[in-house]
Amino acid sequence: ILNVEQSPQSLHVQEGDSTNFTCSFPSSNFYALHWYRWETAKSPEALFVMTLNGDEKKKGRISATLNTKEGYSYLYIKGSQPEDSATYLCAPNFNKFYFGSGTKLNVKP
Amino acid sequence: DTAVSQTPKYLVTQMGNDKSIKCEQNLGHDTMYWYKQDSKKFLKIMFSYNNKELIINETVPNRFSPKSPDKAHLNLHINSLELGDSAVYFCASSQDRGPQETQYFGPGTRLLVL
Protein backbone atom coordinates (compact mmCIF):
# COMPACT_ATOMS: atom_id res chain seq x y z
CA ILE A 1 0.00 0.00 0.00
CA LEU A 2 1.44 3.32 -1.07
CA ASN A 3 1.16 6.20 1.42
CA VAL A 4 0.28 9.71 0.25
CA GLU A 5 0.02 12.18 3.10
CA GLN A 6 -1.33 15.68 3.01
CA SER A 7 -0.94 18.15 5.83
CA PRO A 8 -2.58 19.84 7.48
CA GLN A 9 -5.91 18.04 7.21
CA SER A 10 -7.73 21.33 7.55
CA LEU A 11 -6.83 24.96 7.70
CA HIS A 12 -8.78 28.08 8.67
CA VAL A 13 -7.36 31.43 7.56
CA GLN A 14 -8.54 34.99 7.26
CA GLU A 15 -9.11 36.65 3.90
CA GLY A 16 -5.82 38.10 2.73
CA ASP A 17 -3.63 35.57 4.55
CA SER A 18 -1.16 33.54 2.54
CA THR A 19 -1.06 29.84 3.19
CA ASN A 20 0.66 26.66 2.12
CA PHE A 21 0.19 22.96 2.51
CA THR A 22 2.18 19.83 1.85
CA CYS A 23 1.83 16.57 -0.05
CA SER A 24 4.31 13.81 0.86
CA PHE A 25 4.80 10.64 -1.15
CA PRO A 26 7.38 7.88 -1.74
CA SER A 27 10.10 9.17 -4.05
CA SER A 28 10.77 5.95 -5.98
CA ASN A 29 8.98 4.99 -9.22
CA PHE A 30 7.44 8.44 -9.41
CA TYR A 31 6.05 9.63 -12.75
CA ALA A 32 4.03 12.80 -12.15
CA LEU A 33 2.13 14.74 -9.52
CA HIS A 34 -1.26 16.37 -9.95
CA TRP A 35 -2.99 18.93 -7.73
CA TYR A 36 -6.76 19.16 -7.78
CA ARG A 37 -9.15 21.65 -6.25
CA TRP A 38 -12.41 20.20 -4.93
CA GLU A 39 -15.24 22.47 -3.94
CA THR A 40 -18.10 21.13 -1.86
CA ALA A 41 -20.84 19.52 -3.96
CA LYS A 42 -18.70 19.74 -7.10
CA SER A 43 -16.18 17.51 -8.85
CA PRO A 44 -12.39 17.73 -8.41
CA GLU A 45 -10.86 20.14 -10.92
CA ALA A 46 -7.27 20.02 -12.10
CA LEU A 47 -4.90 22.77 -11.00
CA PHE A 48 -1.40 21.61 -11.95
CA VAL A 49 0.57 18.67 -13.21
CA MET A 50 4.30 18.47 -12.52
CA THR A 51 6.87 15.87 -13.44
CA LEU A 52 10.42 17.10 -12.92
CA ASN A 53 12.32 17.72 -9.72
CA GLY A 54 12.29 21.44 -9.06
CA ASP A 55 9.20 22.07 -11.21
CA GLU A 56 7.23 25.14 -10.26
CA LYS A 57 3.80 25.96 -11.62
CA LYS A 58 1.67 29.07 -11.11
CA LYS A 59 -1.94 29.96 -11.83
CA GLY A 60 -2.94 33.39 -10.56
CA ARG A 61 -2.42 33.47 -6.80
CA ILE A 62 -1.84 29.72 -6.55
CA SER A 63 1.52 28.10 -7.12
CA ALA A 64 3.09 24.71 -6.52
CA THR A 65 6.56 23.23 -6.28
CA LEU A 66 7.83 19.69 -6.60
CA ASN A 67 10.74 17.85 -4.98
CA THR A 68 10.89 14.33 -6.36
CA LYS A 69 14.13 13.38 -4.58
CA GLU A 70 12.66 13.82 -1.13
CA GLY A 71 9.08 13.12 -2.16
CA TYR A 72 7.05 16.23 -1.47
CA SER A 73 5.13 19.02 -3.13
CA TYR A 74 3.99 22.34 -1.70
CA LEU A 75 0.92 24.28 -2.74
CA TYR A 76 0.91 28.00 -1.95
CA ILE A 77 -1.99 30.42 -2.02
CA LYS A 78 -1.11 34.09 -1.83
CA GLY A 79 -3.68 36.50 -0.38
CA SER A 80 -6.41 33.88 0.22
CA GLN A 81 -9.94 34.79 -0.80
CA PRO A 82 -13.22 33.20 0.38
CA GLU A 83 -13.63 31.64 -3.08
CA ASP A 84 -10.41 29.69 -2.47
CA SER A 85 -12.27 27.66 0.17
CA ALA A 86 -12.12 24.07 -1.02
CA THR A 87 -10.33 20.79 -0.45
CA TYR A 88 -6.99 20.57 -2.24
CA LEU A 89 -6.03 17.07 -3.32
CA CYS A 90 -2.66 15.86 -4.49
CA ALA A 91 -2.33 12.77 -6.65
CA PRO A 92 1.11 11.39 -7.43
CA ASN A 93 1.27 8.84 -10.22
CA PHE A 94 3.31 5.64 -9.79
CA ASN A 95 2.00 4.02 -12.95
CA LYS A 96 -1.44 4.71 -11.53
CA PHE A 97 -2.85 7.49 -9.41
CA TYR A 98 -2.84 7.57 -5.62
CA PHE A 99 -4.86 10.38 -4.10
CA GLY A 100 -4.20 11.99 -0.75
CA SER A 101 -7.13 12.70 1.55
CA GLY A 102 -6.78 16.41 0.93
CA THR A 103 -6.30 19.65 2.86
CA LYS A 104 -9.59 21.39 3.55
CA LEU A 105 -9.12 25.15 3.37
CA ASN A 106 -11.66 27.57 4.83
CA VAL A 107 -11.07 31.27 4.16
CA LYS A 108 -13.08 33.60 6.36
CA PRO A 109 -14.09 37.02 4.99
CA ASP B 1 -22.63 20.55 -21.90
CA THR B 2 -21.48 18.50 -18.91
CA ALA B 3 -18.13 16.94 -19.75
CA VAL B 4 -18.39 13.84 -17.53
CA SER B 5 -21.82 12.85 -16.34
CA GLN B 6 -22.96 10.11 -14.01
CA THR B 7 -26.40 8.69 -13.36
CA PRO B 8 -27.92 8.42 -10.92
CA LYS B 9 -26.58 11.05 -8.52
CA TYR B 10 -28.11 9.28 -5.55
CA LEU B 11 -28.90 5.61 -5.13
CA VAL B 12 -30.52 4.11 -2.07
CA THR B 13 -31.06 0.37 -2.17
CA GLN B 14 -31.39 -2.75 -0.08
CA MET B 15 -28.65 -5.23 0.70
CA GLY B 16 -28.51 -8.03 -1.82
CA ASN B 17 -29.82 -6.00 -4.75
CA ASP B 18 -27.98 -5.52 -8.06
CA LYS B 19 -27.51 -1.98 -9.33
CA SER B 20 -25.71 -0.10 -12.09
CA ILE B 21 -24.13 3.34 -12.25
CA LYS B 22 -23.64 4.90 -15.67
CA CYS B 23 -20.90 7.25 -16.80
CA GLU B 24 -20.60 9.16 -20.04
CA GLN B 25 -17.97 11.62 -21.24
CA ASN B 26 -18.33 13.92 -24.24
CA LEU B 27 -14.69 15.04 -24.31
CA GLY B 28 -13.52 12.51 -26.87
CA HIS B 29 -11.16 10.97 -24.33
CA ASP B 30 -9.70 7.50 -24.70
CA THR B 31 -9.36 6.59 -21.02
CA MET B 32 -12.00 6.31 -18.31
CA TYR B 33 -11.82 5.44 -14.62
CA TRP B 34 -13.94 4.46 -11.64
CA TYR B 35 -12.95 5.61 -8.16
CA LYS B 36 -14.47 4.88 -4.78
CA GLN B 37 -14.25 7.52 -2.06
CA ASP B 38 -13.73 5.61 1.14
CA SER B 39 -14.75 6.48 4.68
CA LYS B 40 -11.53 8.43 5.22
CA LYS B 41 -12.27 10.49 2.11
CA PHE B 42 -9.51 8.93 -0.01
CA LEU B 43 -10.23 8.43 -3.69
CA LYS B 44 -9.19 4.86 -4.52
CA ILE B 45 -9.00 3.68 -8.09
CA MET B 46 -11.10 0.64 -8.92
CA PHE B 47 -10.91 0.25 -12.69
CA SER B 48 -9.53 1.97 -15.75
CA TYR B 49 -10.36 1.41 -19.41
CA ASN B 50 -8.42 2.64 -22.42
CA ASN B 51 -10.22 2.44 -25.76
CA LYS B 52 -12.70 -0.01 -24.26
CA GLU B 53 -9.91 -2.25 -22.97
CA LEU B 54 -9.47 -2.91 -19.25
CA ILE B 55 -6.04 -1.66 -18.14
CA ILE B 56 -6.38 -1.31 -14.37
CA ASN B 57 -8.32 -3.74 -12.25
CA GLU B 58 -7.65 -3.17 -8.59
CA THR B 59 -8.40 -5.58 -5.82
CA VAL B 60 -12.13 -5.07 -5.66
CA PRO B 61 -14.71 -7.80 -5.05
CA ASN B 62 -15.77 -9.48 -8.26
CA ARG B 63 -19.30 -8.37 -7.47
CA PHE B 64 -18.14 -5.15 -9.15
CA SER B 65 -18.02 -5.41 -12.93
CA PRO B 66 -17.23 -2.53 -15.25
CA LYS B 67 -18.55 -2.45 -18.80
CA SER B 68 -17.43 -0.16 -21.59
CA PRO B 69 -19.76 -0.42 -24.59
CA ASP B 70 -17.82 2.34 -26.36
CA LYS B 71 -15.08 4.87 -25.61
CA ALA B 72 -17.53 7.42 -24.28
CA HIS B 73 -19.17 5.18 -21.70
CA LEU B 74 -17.97 3.24 -18.69
CA ASN B 75 -20.67 1.70 -16.55
CA LEU B 76 -20.28 0.05 -13.17
CA HIS B 77 -22.49 -2.88 -12.24
CA ILE B 78 -22.60 -4.11 -8.66
CA ASN B 79 -24.10 -7.47 -7.75
CA SER B 80 -25.37 -8.53 -4.32
CA LEU B 81 -24.84 -5.15 -2.70
CA GLU B 82 -23.43 -5.11 0.82
CA LEU B 83 -23.53 -2.48 3.55
CA GLY B 84 -19.82 -1.80 3.04
CA ASP B 85 -20.45 -0.77 -0.55
CA SER B 86 -22.02 2.45 0.68
CA ALA B 87 -19.76 5.23 -0.59
CA VAL B 88 -19.46 7.91 -3.22
CA TYR B 89 -18.35 6.58 -6.60
CA PHE B 90 -16.64 8.90 -9.07
CA CYS B 91 -16.13 8.40 -12.75
CA ALA B 92 -13.32 10.25 -14.54
CA SER B 93 -11.81 10.45 -17.99
CA SER B 94 -8.52 11.57 -19.51
CA GLN B 95 -7.28 12.10 -23.03
CA ASP B 96 -4.93 9.16 -22.75
CA ARG B 97 -3.57 6.81 -20.09
CA GLY B 98 -0.24 8.59 -19.47
CA PRO B 99 0.76 9.77 -15.96
CA GLN B 100 0.68 13.42 -17.02
CA GLU B 101 -2.86 13.28 -18.32
CA THR B 102 -5.33 15.44 -16.45
CA GLN B 103 -8.39 13.60 -15.25
CA TYR B 104 -11.83 15.14 -15.53
CA PHE B 105 -14.25 13.97 -12.89
CA GLY B 106 -17.96 13.40 -12.87
CA PRO B 107 -20.17 14.72 -10.06
CA GLY B 108 -20.18 11.45 -8.16
CA THR B 109 -22.89 8.93 -7.28
CA ARG B 110 -23.79 8.58 -3.61
CA LEU B 111 -24.70 4.97 -2.96
CA LEU B 112 -26.38 4.01 0.30
CA VAL B 113 -27.01 0.35 1.00
CA LEU B 114 -29.55 -0.34 3.74
Side-chain angles (χ1 to χ4, degrees):
Chain A
I1 296 174
L2 200 139
N3 209 22
V4 178
E5 290 187 3
Q6 289 191 245
S7 60
Q9 280 195 329
S10 64
L11 198 51
H12 296 262
V13 302
Q14 287 296 133
E15 182 175 354
D17 287 349
S18 292
T19 186
N20 66 84
F21 16 96
T22 307
C23 172
S24 303
F25 51 88
S27 55
S28 56
N29 300 319
F30 169 87
Y31 286 91
L33 183 121
H34 295 245
W35 278 100
Y36 286 85
R37 182 171 178 274
W38 194 356
E39 287 182 71
T40 305
K42 294 189 178 179
S43 312
E45 289 183 354
L47 282 173
F48 305 115
V49 55
M50 296 178 287
T51 55
L52 300 175
N53 186 44
D55 262 356
E56 289 188 33
K57 291 284 175 89
K58 189 174 178 184
K59 188 186 279 190
R61 293 178 291 97
I62 305 177
S63 59
T65 61
L66 177 66
N67 183 322
T68 60
K69 291 186 179 178
E70 295 180 41
Y72 64 84
S73 176
Y74 292 139
L75 188 82
Y76 300 91
I77 303 179
K78 187 177 173 182
S80 305
Q81 300 296 307
E83 59 264 30
D84 296 329
S85 297
T87 296
Y88 292 83
L89 293 176
C90 74
N93 185 292
F94 302 89
N95 209 27
K96 67 181 180 186
F97 283 98
Y98 292 84
F99 280 81
S101 59
T103 292
K104 188 170 183 179
L105 175 67
N106 182 32
V107 182
K108 297 177 188 173
Chain B
D1 284 278
T2 306
V4 182
S5 60
Q6 293 179 228
T7 52
K9 282 187 82 169
Y10 300 95
L11 186 52
V12 181
T13 189
Q14 298 288 327
M15 243 176 24
N17 283 351
D18 303 338
K19 290 292 178 187
S20 290
I21 307 172
K22 295 187 176 180
C23 178
E24 177 180 0
Q25 54 96 1
N26 62 7
L27 297 167
H29 288 169
D30 285 346
T31 308
M32 295 184 74
Y33 310 82
W34 275 110
Y35 287 89
K36 179 180 180 181
Q37 186 181 21
D38 67 18
S39 56
K40 294 185 179 179
K41 304 297 184 188
F42 284 95
L43 285 171
K44 298 253 174 86
I45 190 152
M46 300 172 71
F47 302 103
S48 176
Y49 271 71
N50 187 61
N51 276 316
K52 302 198 299 173
E53 181 185 339
L54 182 65
I55 54 170
I56 293 176
N57 185 357
E58 287 300 291
T59 310
V60 298
N62 55 17
R63 298 180 295 101
F64 289 78
S65 54
K67 284 189 172 51
S68 182
D70 55 59
K71 272 190 349 176
H73 296 84
L74 180 62
N75 304 323
L76 183 66
H77 189 76
I78 316 169
N79 286 329
S80 304
L81 278 155
E82 299 178 358
L83 295 177
D85 297 333
S86 296
V88 185
Y89 293 84
F90 287 91
C91 175
S93 73
S94 60
Q95 183 66 57
D96 204 340
R97 56 189 290 186
Q100 297 185 52
E101 295 293 334
T102 294
Q103 294 189 37
Y104 295 81
F105 285 83
T109 295
R110 293 184 182 275
L111 171 65
L112 178 61
V113 183
L114 301 173

